Amino acid sequence: SNPVNSTTLVDGSFLTAKSLAKFGVDHMFGVVGIPVTSLANRAVSLGIRFIGFHNEQSAGYAASSYGYLTGRPGVLLTVSGPGCVHGLAGLSNAMANAWPMILISGSCDQKDFGRGDFQELDQIAAVKPFSKFSVKAKDVREIPTCVAQVLDWAISGRPGGCYLDIPSDVLHHTVSESEAEHLLVEAKNSRKRSDIASVPIPNIQEVVSLLRHAQRPLIVCGKGAAYARAEGALKKLVENTGIPFLPTPMGKGLLPDTHELAATAARSLAIGKCDVALVVGARLNWLLHFGEPPKWSKDVKFILVDVSEEEIELRKPYLGLVGDAKGVLELLNKEIKDDPFCLGKSHPWVEAISYKAKENVAKMEAQLAKDVVPFNFLTPMRIIRDAILALGSPAPLLVSEGANTMDVGRAVLIQTEPRTRLDAGTWGTMGVGLGYCIAAAVACPGRLVVAVEGDSGFGFSAMEVETLVRYQLPVVVIVFNNGGVYGGDRRSPEEIDGPYKHDPAPTSFVPGAGYHILIEAFGGKGYLVGTPEELKAALSESFSAQKPAVINVTIDPYAGAESGRLQHKN
Ligand code: ADP
């Protein structure tokens, strides 16, 4: 390599790229423009893969899910002002889901701030509600430390979004190469170590005793456990104790959905009747009905395992264990090993759950077995499920969004491996699909990515199919096309009046939209399907091609329900 030169100058763009590369960043997502184009080019020249998007919103969703999938902060790069604002979508999504991500935005020249400069915005103030830490590099010399800080903050404690602001003058200022090297070493030495897992757990024996003496224990596992890569420890705990488990939507796959102790298909019974619930890396928020009656029994004793002490304080569980999910489960396993217990298949609780799950699965299978044409949601979902299962291991990564499409997909599609499901998540974010697909493809090379989306969810970022084609990513996007948000026009006659009564309904899109043609405009492969045979052929061809494809599935516009399963909220 070149000897470090004390007279050669490097600028802020280079120093930022160099800091990112030195501190382990290998991918960036974003949209270039003033003043960050040179930063992106520098990053590429230093070995970082830059994935250029059409819109910062999608790029931000990509960065957030990249953080979840890899355990390392996903990085979003945007221009100043409006670029930063578009990026807030991804940053807020990272915060809501507790995923590590950093947003780096250029900002206007410091000396012109406050005088109406090009794309002027107080970006530090704008990101405040959506980030756990933010910092502005006010001088080129501050860059390496600022980069180290945002990267460290994003993964420390509860993961989340962080923001780095770099004004355009700072990107253009220079220091000597030797000073740059010195600054990088200094920043590296100042990095804080991640301290999770080292917190002592005083009440581990109490937890084991509670589980041991419970009549109807349940283990609930969420995406925090998936993030912590706790699947091995979880498997051991479940199989050694014989306690049934219930995954949250993105916790699906930590243990296979097909596991005999999976309570997924007996969810209402499991949460309604359990007397002790060990909740690992999942919040008792809306997705888990706040842990309250009538869904949960009023006497249930919660044991929460979470890396965030505030989370445990908020929920006031019977017992709380602050720590890394994997570390805590390993401690539990160790404690149990000395005096093992196992419920066994004939335990009344295990039997009740298994019986109910089998009954519900059989009911669902009877519905799924029918070939309904024009398609309802179930028939194509079954065909997709079977095509995915036929691929075996490594299982493809599944991306799912849309109201009915996601609800039906969650019930029908089967996850057999951890971190293989990305959906609208804690924030119920629609429009994440293409960003998640792109992140999944680059974060997990060699694996197929399959998106199963509603036409409305797809439409938020449909232009990113060009990004799929440009980078030749192995992504098959299956669009459930029912012509609108929730499908056809469901208004009652008295709701249709006024001067714009001849406009399409607020929920409607162009009927029969040719989404498959969209990807062909860029050289990808499109399929239009409306029958089981057509869908099977398209899946088989696109899954083996491992190339960008869109399968436009015509669905009966009146097949779904408004707001999916959240009708009470609309
Ligand atoms: P889900 O949507 O699957 O229910 P949530 O996002 O609500 O999951 O909850 C995930 C929880 O996991 C968060 O409260 C977060 O603080 C926690 N968490 C994140 N990382 C870890 C970790 N390494 N160990 C334990 N808990 C973690």
Side-chain angles (χ1 to χ4, degrees):
S1 63
N2 303 328
V4 172
N5 194 319
S6 60
T7 51
T8 312
L9 296 178
V10 299
D11 67 4
S13 295
F14 178 83
L15 192 51
T16 309
K18 185 86 190 202
S19 307
L20 289 166
K22 191 174 177 87
F23 302 149
V25 169
D26 51 17
H27 283 88
M28 271 165 105
F29 306 91
V31 179
V32 294
I34 298 169
V36 298
T37 311
S38 164
L39 165 44
N41 289 332
R42 295 297 199 171
V44 172
S45 72
L46 291 169
I48 296 174
R49 190 174 195 196
F50 185 88
I51 308 290
F53 279 67
H54 289 267
N55 187 311
E56 295 90 350
Q57 181 177 310
S58 290
Y61 292 148
S64 65
S65 59
Y66 183 88
Y68 171 62
L69 292 171
T70 62
R72 290 176 292 119
V75 181
L76 168 64
L77 180 68
T78 82
V79 302
S80 34
C84 173
V85 168
H86 294 172
L88 296 181
L91 197 65
S92 54
N93 193 58
M95 282 304 277
N97 286 299
W99 291 348
M101 149 174 186
I102 66 173
L103 165 61
I104 303 176
S105 298
S107 59
C108 76
D109 199 306
Q110 293 181 89
K111 74 178 184 329
D112 294 326
F113 185 86
R115 321 196 280 154
D117 195 17
F118 172 69
Q119 299 190 332
E120 177 190 310
L121 171 73
D122 182 349
Q123 294 171 196
I124 290 284
V127 303
K128 187 125 211 227
F130 310 115
S131 53
K132 57 188 281 203
F133 175 83
S134 61
V135 63
K136 185 198 286 265
K138 298 191 188 73
D139 183 281
V140 61
R141 288 171 185 82
E142 294 174 14
I143 287 175
T145 311
C146 290
V147 171
Q149 280 180 320
V150 284
L151 288 170
D152 291 345
W153 269 92
I155 55 161
S156 76
R158 170 181 281 170
C162 294
Y163 174 66
L164 171 58
D165 190 285
I166 318 183
S168 61
D169 50 302
V170 174
L171 287 168
H172 294 131
H173 282 163
T174 54
V175 288
S176 72
E177 206 177 3
S178 56
E179 187 177 2
E181 277 307 319
H182 174 71
L183 292 165
L184 283 161
V185 170
E186 229 177 41
K188 186 162 196 273
N189 294 339
S190 74
R191 293 192 72 177
K192 50 174 187 163
R193 291 214 196 95
S194 185
D195 47 6
I196 54 172
S198 55
V199 192
I201 311 281
N203 46 5
I204 206 91
Q205 284 175 335
E206 208 183 336
V207 171
V208 171
S209 159
L210 201 59
L211 289 172
R212 184 191 304 276
H213 297 112
Q215 305 282 307
R216 296 175 304 281
L218 180 69
I219 297 172
V220 178
C221 47
K223 63 180 176 309
Y227 175 78
R229 283 157 171 74
E231 55 269 16
L234 178 72
K235 180 173 155 66
K236 213 166 162 188
L237 179 67
V238 165
E239 292 180 354
N240 285 349
T241 61
I243 299 177
F245 70 94
L246 178 74
T248 65
M250 278 195 247
K252 267 161 70 78
L254 266 164
L255 291 179
D257 284 338
T258 47
H259 195 286
E260 56 176 2
L261 288 167
T264 319
R267 187 177 189 271
S268 299
L269 174 72
I271 68 175
K273 289 279 170 359
C274 67
D275 60 352
V276 173
L278 174 69
V279 182
V280 189
R283 283 168 282 186
L284 293 177
N285 57 13
W286 67 279
L287 278 159
L288 286 173
H289 318 286
F290 306 106
E292 287 171 350
K295 296 278 187 182
W296 295 81
S297 136
K298 72 176 192 338
D299 302 319
V300 57
K301 292 185 169 120
F302 283 111
I303 308 166
L304 298 193
V305 178
D306 203 293
V307 77
S308 156
E309 195 166 354
E310 294 94 87
E311 179 63 23
I312 289 179
E313 276 162 15
L314 171 72
R315 308 294 172 187
K316 302 194 178 30
Y318 188 81
L319 288 174
L321 304 179
V322 181
D324 173 59
K326 184 174 170 213
V328 171
L329 292 185
E330 279 167 357
L331 283 179
L332 281 173
N333 285 330
K334 209 163 136 227
E335 187 69 30
I336 289 169
K337 208 169 138 218
D338 297 336
D339 187 8
F341 69 96
C342 185
L343 304 187
K345 273 188 204 160
S346 56
H347 187 284
W349 170 239
V350 178
E351 229 176 38
I353 289 201
S354 149
Y355 181 83
K356 187 75 199 167
K358 285 198 182 105
E359 190 181 77
N360 286 346
V361 166
K363 266 191 228 159
M364 171 75 97
E365 284 306 318
Q367 292 300 312
L368 286 171
K370 299 175 200 155
D371 274 343
V372 178
V373 181
F375 276 150
N376 58 7
F377 284 84
L378 292 173
T379 300
M381 206 63 87
R382 179 205 81 221
I383 294 168
I384 293 163
R385 175 194 69 182
D386 295 347
I388 289 177
L389 281 180
L391 293 173
S393 186
L397 280 105
L398 175 78
V399 174
S400 178
E401 64 173 330
N404 292 289
T405 309
M406 189 171 70
D407 283 342
V408 175
R410 190 172 54 246
V412 175
L413 300 172
I414 291 173
Q415 308 307 130
T416 54
E417 294 174 25
R419 295 169 297 283
T420 54
R421 180 183 167 88
L422 294 168
D423 65 23
T426 308
W427 226 27
T429 323
M430 293 298 161
V432 287
L434 270 286
Y436 283 2
C437 285
I438 292 163
V442 301
C444 308
R447 290 178 90 149
L448 180 69
V449 180
V450 179
V452 184
E453 317 205 20
D455 50 343
S456 136
F458 175 70
F460 278 84
S461 56
M463 190 52 119
E464 304 298 347
V465 296
E466 186 276 335
T467 312
L468 295 181
V469 176
R470 188 167 12 113
Y471 293 98
Q472 281 298 300
L473 302 175
V475 176
V476 177
V477 182
I478 305 168
V479 181
F480 275 44
N481 185 357
N482 62 355
V485 183
Y486 312 130
D489 188 349
R490 286 144 200 267
R491 293 172 299 177
S492 59
E494 54 276 18
E495 280 180 299
I496 306 173
D497 204 1
Y500 302 109
K501 67 181 174 202
H502 299 300
D503 269 358
T507 51
S508 298
F509 298 141
V510 168
Y515 298 121
H516 58 295
I517 303 173
L518 194 63
I519 192 166
E520 292 189 339
F522 308 111
K525 179 80 186 154
Y527 304 86
L528 175 65
V529 305
T531 65
E533 294 67 39
E534 287 167 356
L535 177 57
K536 283 177 197 167
L539 290 171
S540 144
E541 189 176 299
S542 61
F543 283 6
S544 45
Q546 309 253 330
K547 290 260 177 358
V550 169
I551 304 180
N552 188 2
V553 185
T554 307
I555 305 281
D556 176 356
Y558 293 96
E562 182 171 309
S563 309
R565 292 191 188 160
L566 290 177
Q567 285 173 52
H568 61 288
K569 290 196 190 282
N570 196 344

